[in-house]
Amino acid sequence: MLITHDTRCALDTVVDLVNTVPEDESAPDGLADVAALQQFVGTHEISDVGVLTDLDLSAVRAIRGRFAAVFAAPDARTAAGLINDLVAAAGTTPRLTDHDGYDWHIHYFAPGASVADHLTADCGMALAFFVVAGEQERLRRCEAPDCRRAFVDLSRNRSRRYCDSRTCGNRLHVAAYRARRKEAAG
């Protein structure tokens, strides 16, 4: 599957957005305030964003829950329905643009759109490309029992199971190894 630069950026953004949701009541919200949203926007180089407000923060928090549902969708039809609802609500307006040193690419948000509509349109379309390509199963949640972070499996054989093999994957493999050693030692 060919993934363009702007689609990859949108995928990284939607994964990071979904992963700002606290994993439990004791964890902090990754979008705790407008300053955190501003940092998120800056980190992901989201263009055409004006001054952010509490209304923007509320709207972005609302869409991240809807994006999380796409990653939890049991099948392509369900994912497609969720994505269609998201993209329609954002009022997508595809247009070609070249800015900030990037070659021609497509923005799906209307000029002057809110940050929530911008994220919804661009990230929704990036996820839509996966459903269209028959690759919806690549939109996953980490299989580590204590982690449910979202990720996009871009491995050739669709075998990635953990959000990060160095942390979640390694921790589980070490735990399994120790359990086998303990059992063997009797």
Side-chain angles (χ1 to χ4, degrees):
M1 175 177 187
L2 175 67
I3 301 173
T4 62
H5 171 76
D6 51 314
T7 299
R8 179 60 194 256
C9 289
L11 289 171
D12 291 344
T13 300
V14 72
V15 165
D16 288 349
L17 178 63
V18 168
N19 289 335
T20 64
V21 175
E23 291 185 32
D24 59 43
E25 295 81 34
S26 65
D29 189 318
L31 292 177
D33 53 28
V34 174
L37 178 59
Q38 184 66 50
Q39 182 176 356
F40 183 88
V41 166
T43 298
H44 292 282
E45 299 179 350
I46 300 170
S47 61
D48 296 334
V49 174
V51 176
L52 297 173
T53 67
D54 286 327
L55 290 174
D56 293 309
L57 179 62
S58 295
V60 170
R61 283 180 175 168
I63 63 162
R64 76 177 174 183
R66 296 178 70 192
F67 277 125
V70 174
F71 281 85
D75 54 52
R77 183 166 304 283
T78 304
L82 294 166
I83 293 167
N84 282 340
D85 290 345
L86 277 161
V87 171
T92 57
T93 307
R95 62 189 167 96
L96 288 168
T97 184
D98 64 338
H99 60 87
D100 299 328
Y102 295 107
D103 203 359
W104 289 105
H105 58 283
I106 301 173
H107 280 185
Y108 295 96
F109 60 94
S114 70
V115 67
D117 284 347
H118 179 144
L119 290 169
T120 301
D122 278 356
C123 295
M125 291 305 299
L127 295 175
F129 293 137
F130 273 75
V131 174
V132 168
E135 302 285 353
Q136 180 263 334
E137 75 276 359
R138 289 182 181 268
L139 309 176
R140 298 191 175 160
R141 291 291 192 155
C142 184
E143 290 183 18
D146 59 341
C147 178
R148 295 298 298 151
R149 293 178 60 85
F151 68 94
V152 178
D153 179 4
L154 297 177
S155 66
R156 282 184 189 231
N157 60 0
R158 300 172 185 86
S159 62
R160 188 170 160 200
R161 298 174 48 207
Y162 307 109
C163 63
D164 186 347
S165 61
R166 291 176 301 214
T167 55
C168 291
N170 192 43
R171 189 174 61 246
L172 286 176
H173 289 115
V174 168
Y177 171 78
R178 288 182 179 156
R180 286 190 305 272
R181 297 270 311 224
K182 185 177 180 181
E183 187 176 307

